[in-house]
């Protein structure tokens, strides 16, 4: 299941449309890290609304992806984590934040968190 | 009176006993005879019973007329159960009765009390009738007692079950009322928590908050726990998890009104305070939230 | 043999079992299949969305452990009962290398595969009951149960 990636100005939007296997996730990571420079993107939006489970592997892959994309000069925003999924992630002991710079930051007076609804 | 042994493969649930009907023929005849007696003396026995209820100061929440009306129904259902050996009608009736009298504040001991009184009134009348023939009285009581006990059981269980149902319903209602998620501004939610938090309420609270964040597309949430005196370690951990889960949905959480005890608990369990955004009181929390959202509240004079 | 967690209630393993789903696990695709089946079973039993997700996440972790450490194995899903409460029992079984130190594997932050090291302790927090039996060189069986909330 390949994740479609759209280019919208300086932003790449990846919309996950079904449950992803580990190889799908790695494939998505490869594709985004590659395209970010090609497309001269400043930001990446990953919409995970359709993901019904975010386990340790998925979280780790997303976090590493944000790291790599950062190194390639763009920001990553993960949108659409389901409330139930967020709760399960926290119970599992995962938080995507912490040392990878996912803290909410301020930009033009408005809070811009790394995750948005 | 020995009960018919149950076949093992059809062992009944605890509340279902073998039907009285299956007892030996003489018992059925005896029951028939005593039912006839109870029907014949209905008016007098019912009166006597109602009298006993009042004297024993049971059902004090009800008027004399009400007691008499219920006594009539209970009496008829009672005799009916003895006559037919089936308890469904009585079960239904006792549920209905409970539904009516529970809101009036009638207690379990009163319900059990009146049924036991009826049992005694009827037993005494059987004594009076058969005192001359002791052997027959013995057989009559053998037939009567197990049935009467089952009736008392059925009514009491029906009452308790109904009461438990009412309690469950009320708990549910209280839980729903107890965690309102309020939107005070665009993208700003407030969750005031009042009273004790047990793990179940904590779960409910988290669930409502997370869905509230999603529905309102909230960016900042102020959880005010001024009304919570203390929390245990598991609830404290739950609070921290709620904060983290909210962040994954894109909302920053500000916790306000921590009591000294709760502050102590949080420190004792080693909460990473970098993850917890706390402000002294609700007003301060809302001000901070407004700053985060880029609002500035100024007096009208200044604004003009 | 090392046993950790709640004592195994053998009686429960035998009684109260209503249906059983076996999912062979050999690839990351199977991980997705296993958690989908778990989700379907929990939904069927009337689990809340949140408990369903917690269970699906636990199954995902257990299935992935099989793929990462043992290569192949199976996940068995069963409905079970605790007095009147329905629940789902998940057995994750493999004949892999086994775990040398269960105590260590259950410690927070421990991992041998370079993952986040949250595996087993994390799964334990997602479910209501957790048991692990592992013999070094013989394989590992993890049994978890989650009750309808």
């Amino acid at each position: 299941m390949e994740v479609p990636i759209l280019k919208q100005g300086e932003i790449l939007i990846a919309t996950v449309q079904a449950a992803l296997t580990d190889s799908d996730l790695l494939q998505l990571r490869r594709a985004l890290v590659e395209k970010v420079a090609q497309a001269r993107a400043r930001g990446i939006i990953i919409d995970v609304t359709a993901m019904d489970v975010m386990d340790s592997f998925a979280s780790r892959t997303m976090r590493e992806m944000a790291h790599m994309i950062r190194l390639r000069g763009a920001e990553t925003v993960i949108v659409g984590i389901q409330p139930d999924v967020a709760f399960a992630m926290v119970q599992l002991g995962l938080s995507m934040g912490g040392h990878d710079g996912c803290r909410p930051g301020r930009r033009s007076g408005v809070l811009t968190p790394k995750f948005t609804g | 009176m020995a009960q018919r042994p149950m076949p093992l493969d059809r062992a009944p649930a605890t509340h279902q006993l073998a039907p009285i009907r299956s007892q030996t023929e003489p018992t059925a005849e005896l029951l028939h005879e005593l039912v006839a007696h109870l029907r014949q003396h209905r008016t007098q026995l019912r009166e006597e019973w109602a009298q006993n209820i009042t004297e024993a100061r049971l059902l004090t929440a009800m008027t004399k007329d009400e007691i008499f009306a219920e006594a009539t129904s209970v009496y008829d259902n009672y005799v009916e159960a003895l006559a037919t050996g089936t308890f469904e009608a009585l079960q239904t009736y006792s549920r209905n009765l409970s539904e009516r009298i529970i809101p009036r504040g009638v207690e379990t001991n009163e319900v059990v009390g009146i049924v036991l009184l009826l049992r005694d009134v009827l037993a005494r009348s059987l004594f009076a009738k058969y005192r001359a023939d002791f052997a027959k009285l013995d057989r009559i009581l053998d037939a009567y007692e197990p049935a009467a006990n089952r009736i008392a059981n059925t009514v009491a269980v029906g009452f308790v079950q109904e009461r438990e149902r009412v309690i469950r319903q009320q708990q549910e209602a209280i839980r729903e009322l107890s965690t309102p998620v309020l939107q005070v501004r665009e993208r700003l939610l407030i969750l005031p928590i009042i009273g004790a938090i047990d793990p179940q309420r904590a779960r409910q609270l988290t669930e409502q908050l997370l869905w509230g964040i999603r529905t309102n597309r909230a960016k900042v949430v102020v959880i005010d726990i001024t009304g919570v005196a203390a929390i245990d370690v598991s609830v404290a951990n739950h609070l921290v998890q709620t904060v983290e889960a909210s962040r994954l949905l894109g909302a920053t959480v500000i916790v306000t009104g921590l009591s000294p005890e709760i502050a102590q608990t949080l420190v004792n369990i080693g909460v990473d305070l970098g993850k917890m955004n706390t402000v002294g009181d609700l007003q301060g929390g809302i001000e901070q939230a407004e700053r985060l959202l880029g609002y500035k509240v100024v007096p009208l004079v200044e604004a003009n | 043999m090392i046993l950790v967690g709640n004592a195994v209630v053998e009686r429960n393993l035998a009684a109260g079992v209503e249906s059983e789903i076996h999912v062979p696990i050999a690839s990351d695709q199977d991980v997705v299949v296993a958690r989908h089946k778990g989700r379907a079973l929990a939904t069927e039993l009337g689990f809340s969305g949140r408990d369903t997700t917690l269970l699906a996440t636990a199954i995902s972790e257990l299935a992935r452990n099989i793929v990462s450490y043992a290569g192949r194995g199976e996940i068995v899903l069963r409905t079970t009962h605790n007095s009147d409460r329905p629940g789902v029992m998940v057995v994750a079984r493999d004949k892999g290398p086994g775990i040398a130190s269960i105590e260590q594997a259950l410690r927070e932050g421990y991992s041998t595969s370079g993952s986040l090291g949250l595996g087993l302790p994390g799964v334990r927090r997602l479910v209501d009951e957790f048991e692990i039996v592992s013999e070094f060189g013989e394989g590992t069986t993890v049994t978890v149960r989650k009750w309808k909330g």
Side-chain angles (χ1 to χ4, degrees):
Chain A
M1 162 79 45
E2 199 160 320
V3 178
I5 301 171
L6 298 175
K7 186 172 188 308
Q8 189 97 49
E10 292 185 311
I11 294 174
L12 292 179
I13 304 172
T15 310
V16 178
Q17 283 163 336
L20 297 181
T21 64
D22 297 356
S23 1
D24 295 336
L25 275 161
L26 295 174
Q27 154 71 23
L28 172 66
R29 185 173 81 184
R30 225 176 3 254
L32 279 175
V33 173
E34 206 173 277
K35 277 196 182 163
V36 70
Q38 270 174 21
R40 302 175 58 82
R42 302 265 315 274
I44 310 282
I45 294 175
I46 306 172
D47 182 356
V48 297
T49 311
M51 287 182 77
D52 65 345
V53 164
M54 189 79 102
D55 59 11
S56 59
F57 185 86
S59 308
R60 177 164 58 107
T61 310
M62 293 273 175
R63 201 178 60 172
E64 288 171 357
M65 177 155 52
H67 258 310
M68 295 177 184
I69 288 168
R70 185 74 202 253
L71 292 172
R72 306 265 281 166
E75 290 280 341
T76 305
V77 180
I78 294 172
V79 307
I81 296 180
Q82 299 287 346
D84 292 337
V85 173
F87 189 76
M89 288 171 71
V90 172
Q91 287 282 92
L92 192 57
L94 303 167
S95 65
M96 294 219 218
H99 56 88
D100 62 357
C102 282
R103 295 168 299 279
R106 279 232 249 166
R107 190 176 292 162
S108 47
V110 182
L111 191 71
T112 54
K114 207 70 173 185
F115 302 95
T116 73
Chain B
M1 182 79 27
Q3 286 231 330
R4 190 179 60 144
M6 312 278 173
L8 276 176
D9 57 334
R10 283 189 59 240
T14 44
H15 59 281
Q16 287 174 321
L17 301 169
I20 300 277
R21 266 180 302 208
S22 70
Q23 288 176 337
T24 49
E25 213 40 42
T27 308
E29 269 166 36
L30 289 169
L31 275 173
H32 190 75
E33 188 177 331
L34 80 89
V35 164
H37 168 74
L38 298 180
R39 286 199 172 128
Q40 198 186 337
H41 298 89
R42 176 172 179 258
T43 314
Q44 177 215 330
L45 290 172
R46 186 182 50 181
E47 202 112 354
E48 195 179 322
W49 180 39
Q51 181 74 23
N52 283 4
I53 292 175
T54 318
E55 275 167 20
R57 296 187 179 285
L58 295 172
L59 302 184
T60 46
M62 296 163 75
T63 67
K64 241 189 153 99
D65 288 346
E66 282 174 323
I67 291 178
F68 191 75
E70 294 296 355
T72 305
S73 309
V74 175
Y75 188 95
D76 292 344
N77 275 289
Y78 193 105
V79 176
E80 190 63 25
L82 283 176
T84 60
T86 58
F87 292 74
E88 284 81 10
L90 185 69
Q91 236 160 20
T92 311
Y93 171 74
S94 65
R95 250 199 304 275
N96 287 342
L97 173 70
S98 309
E99 214 169 296
R100 266 176 293 152
I101 62 180
I102 286 169
R104 310 279 297 267
V106 173
E107 296 293 334
T108 315
N109 68 319
E110 294 184 280
V111 170
V112 175
I114 64 164
V115 179
L116 294 180
L117 280 179
L118 177 58
R119 189 191 61 174
D120 296 345
V121 166
L122 301 188
R124 275 179 190 246
S125 112
L126 295 174
F127 266 117
K129 181 173 162 70
Y130 296 105
R131 65 203 302 173
D133 184 351
F134 189 77
K136 172 120 191 212
L137 173 64
D138 211 31
R139 288 203 307 278
I140 285 272
L141 287 180
D142 273 349
Y144 172 70
E145 280 163 359
N149 288 343
R150 269 193 66 192
I151 292 173
N153 232 326
T154 304
V155 174
V157 168
F159 182 84
V160 170
Q161 279 175 346
E162 174 63 18
R163 207 158 76 153
E164 280 170 0
R165 194 187 63 78
V166 169
I167 291 172
R168 269 199 304 276
Q169 218 171 31
Q170 286 170 342
Q171 276 176 340
E172 197 58 39
I174 290 170
R175 266 203 296 278
E176 259 161 47
L177 285 174
S178 62
T179 49
V181 178
L182 310 168
Q183 177 164 22
V184 286
R185 276 188 209 300
E186 194 72 1
R187 319 203 96 182
L188 168 57
L189 297 181
I190 293 190
L191 178 71
I193 305 174
I194 293 168
I197 313 180
D198 56 17
Q200 203 190 355
R201 191 174 167 210
R203 276 174 59 129
Q204 172 120 9
L205 199 142
T206 308
E207 203 143 343
Q208 270 175 292
L209 178 63
L210 295 181
W211 284 101
I213 289 171
R214 181 142 183 104
T215 314
N216 296 290
R217 309 189 66 234
K219 275 197 173 297
V220 184
V221 178
V222 179
I223 300 182
D224 180 58
I225 55 173
T226 311
V228 183
I231 52 179
D232 65 14
V233 172
S234 79
V235 172
N237 275 320
H238 198 96
L239 180 67
V240 176
Q241 288 171 350
T242 305
V243 170
E244 287 188 40
S246 303
R247 208 175 54 82
L248 289 174
L249 298 183
T252 303
V253 176
I254 299 169
V255 182
T256 65
L258 277 92
S259 70
E261 288 77 15
I262 294 178
Q264 180 100 41
T265 307
L266 290 179
V267 171
N268 283 349
I269 63 170
V271 167
D272 179 356
L273 292 168
K275 286 177 179 168
M276 286 279 269
N277 208 339
T278 61
V279 176
D281 60 7
L282 178 58
Q283 184 182 351
I286 294 178
E287 284 165 4
Q288 163 115 358
E290 284 168 338
R291 274 198 297 280
L292 287 173
L293 286 167
Y295 290 113
K296 189 179 174 194
V297 181
V298 293
L300 275 175
V301 194
E302 211 177 296
N304 291 337
Chain C
M1 180 182 291
I2 312 164
L3 254 172
V4 177
N6 308 306
V8 184
V9 188
E10 291 293 347
R11 193 170 45 81
N12 270 8
L13 296 182
V17 172
E18 280 151 24
S19 64
E20 204 172 279
I21 305 163
H22 289 254
V23 186
I25 304 292
S27 73
D28 62 343
Q29 183 62 48
D30 300 331
V31 175
V32 176
V33 172
R35 71 188 188 217
H36 271 203
K37 297 218 158 144
R39 175 174 284 277
L41 187 58
T43 308
E44 199 180 298
L45 290 176
F47 274 47
S48 67
R50 168 178 159 148
D51 286 340
T52 305
T53 303
L54 292 176
L55 181 72
T57 309
I59 293 173
S60 197
E61 294 292 320
L62 292 173
R64 175 167 303 98
N65 275 351
I66 294 177
V67 177
S68 311
Y69 294 104
R72 58 178 55 244
E74 70 167 350
I75 296 266
V76 182
L77 303 166
R78 288 174 188 168
T79 57
T80 176
H81 279 91
N82 179 7
S83 63
D84 275 349
R85 269 168 108 194
V88 175
M89 176 164 109
V90 182
V91 182
R93 199 181 285 135
D94 68 58
K95 299 232 174 295
I99 299 171
S101 163
I102 288 183
E103 254 170 71
Q104 204 172 18
L106 288 175
R107 198 178 302 147
E108 298 286 335
Y110 175 80
S111 164
T112 55
S113 71
S115 73
L116 286 176
L118 296 158
L120 291 177
V123 170
R124 209 174 179 179
R125 281 191 298 271
L126 296 173
V127 298
D128 297 317
E129 288 174 34
F130 180 98
E131 296 146 22
I132 178 166
V133 180
S134 187
E135 214 157 335
F136 197 54
E138 294 290 318
T140 304
T141 301
V142 180
T143 305
V144 304
R145 291 184 192 80
K146 185 148 191 75
W147 306 110
K148 185 178 166 184

